[in-house]
Amino acid sequence: MKIAYLGPQASFTQLAASQIFPENELVAESSILDCFNAVKNGEVDKAVVPLENSIEGTVSMTLDYLYDFENIFIQTEAIMPISHQLMMHPANEDFSKIISHPQALAQTFHFRFNHYKNTLTQDYSSTSAAAKLVSENPQEKWAAIANSYAAKLYGLKVIHKNIQDFEQNHTKFIIISKKRTSLNLNFPKSSEKTSLLVTLPEDHAGGLHQVLSVFAWRKMNLSKIESRTMKKNLGNYFFFINVASEWHPVLSENALEELRLFGADVKFIGHYNEYILED
């Protein structure tokens, strides 16, 4: 079985994928979009992509692609602790620019402000790609923010460890597939949920209340609700909703049917478990 992940090698997503699929072939993709396309085109069986970070919130691209791509489902969700290290080429004594993924730069903002306030930063496609770039350009005075495995893989020296602004820094990764069935893992289970994408027929007063009331009177707990622009006109949004607890074949299906009856477009994207990975 082939599993795509947001690469390159030594990315946090690869570390998560290695824990979840230790016996399978892992295929690095250069972007989240490439991961979705690899699943859609049948090039891989599944893909592992980041969905949310405890500091920076939802990865908007992942949410947008869940909306844009038809017949791609979430099979499970895995949470992994995230720690960042500041590293540079061993041939250099100092650096003038820090390169990393925008999320990693945001998650280390206070550290950089306190220690490298005047140092330039540059966004890059992933933390591991930034580490690889620094390793391949010793003539440049660059540093990267990435994980310890990336430093070891690319031969960089770590000059500051665990520079994330908050100790409890975790990222949620989802496994996507064209199969609607859930995927069970041999890790501690933390919760069970159903994910939906709901689009209202038009922007009108009480529209969101109408959606929420469908779940409220059935005593169905919503653990997450987030709006995302549909990129058409101002004021047009879809809603990403997580319904906590088990999937009830009657109660849950009736809730979706009621949403559709008042004109909402409802996209079921998975009922699955959430697991806790190792550091």
Side-chain angles (χ1 to χ4, degrees):
M1 186 164 63
K2 288 186 177 181
I3 311 296
Y5 68 90
L6 175 61
Q9 189 178 6
S11 67
F12 284 106
T13 312
Q14 192 246 345
L15 297 182
S18 297
Q19 286 195 54
I20 300 168
F21 301 104
E23 305 298 328
N24 298 113
E25 180 183 353
L26 301 182
V27 180
E29 298 289 350
S30 59
S31 69
I32 295 174
L33 177 59
D34 289 339
C35 289
F36 272 80
N37 278 322
V39 173
K40 175 187 174 183
N41 298 330
E43 298 166 11
V44 297
D45 300 280
K46 309 177 193 297
V48 182
V49 293
L51 176 65
E52 182 180 349
N53 177 263
S54 58
I55 297 175
E56 287 304 301
T58 301
V59 180
S60 57
M61 279 187 286
T62 300
L63 204 54
D64 288 342
Y65 297 144
L66 285 170
Y67 179 83
D68 292 337
F69 281 74
E70 294 295 330
N71 299 316
I72 288 185
F73 303 94
I74 300 175
Q75 288 195 306
T76 196
E77 186 175 82
I79 300 175
M80 188 175 77
I82 301 294
S83 61
H84 294 298
Q85 331 297 332
L86 184 65
M87 58 196 70
M88 65 181 184
H89 199 282
N92 295 329
E93 295 298 325
D94 56 10
F95 57 89
S96 58
K97 182 164 64 175
I98 299 174
I99 306 170
S100 195
H101 188 274
Q103 287 263 343
L105 292 172
Q107 292 165 26
T108 57
F109 172 81
H110 294 292
F111 170 85
R112 292 185 293 101
F113 183 84
N114 291 331
H115 295 85
Y116 300 101
K117 181 179 179 180
N118 298 317
T119 303
L120 296 173
T121 60
Q122 178 182 325
D123 291 354
Y124 214 62
S125 58
S126 75
T127 56
S128 55
K132 186 173 185 289
L133 181 71
V134 170
S135 73
E136 293 173 344
N137 293 273
Q139 74 280 4
E140 303 288 352
K141 290 191 174 183
W142 294 340
I145 295 175
N147 58 55
S148 299
Y149 181 62
K152 182 178 180 180
L153 179 67
Y154 297 118
L156 301 179
K157 62 179 178 181
V158 174
I159 54 178
H160 291 286
K161 295 182 178 180
N162 300 322
I163 64 172
Q164 61 274 8
D165 292 331
F166 299 93
E167 184 178 348
Q168 296 300 319
N169 184 16
H170 295 79
T171 293
K172 289 183 178 181
F173 297 92
I174 55 174
I175 289 81
I176 58 171
S177 171
K178 289 196 287 187
K179 295 181 179 179
R180 181 168 167 161
T181 54
S182 61
L183 178 67
N184 295 320
L185 305 179
N186 292 319
F187 292 95
K189 175 183 171 182
S190 60
S191 67
E192 186 174 348
K193 65 185 72 172
T194 300
S195 290
L196 308 169
L197 298 174
V198 179
T199 308
L200 302 182
E202 58 183 16
D203 185 19
H204 64 278
L208 180 56
H209 177 270
Q210 197 172 12
V211 170
L212 299 179
S213 65
V214 168
F215 302 102
W217 77 263
R218 290 181 171 86
K219 301 187 184 304
M220 299 172 70
N221 181 37
L222 302 185
S223 58
K224 181 182 181 68
I225 179 167
E226 181 172 346
S227 64
R228 282 290 298 162
T229 176
M230 296 172 64
K231 299 178 177 58
K232 294 180 180 178
N233 298 307
L234 288 174
N236 290 333
Y237 301 92
F238 69 86
F239 295 90
F240 177 65
I241 297 175
N242 280 340
V243 185
S245 76
E246 300 177 359
W247 177 261
H248 193 282
V250 176
L251 192 68
S252 303
E253 290 289 353
N254 286 347
L256 302 192
E257 184 59 28
E258 184 176 341
L259 290 171
R260 295 184 178 105
L261 284 175
F262 66 72
D265 180 69
V266 183
K267 183 178 180 181
F268 173 93
I269 54 173
H271 176 78
Y272 52 91
N273 297 326
E274 177 185 270
Y275 297 92
I276 307 296
L277 302 181
E278 299 174 355
D279 293 358

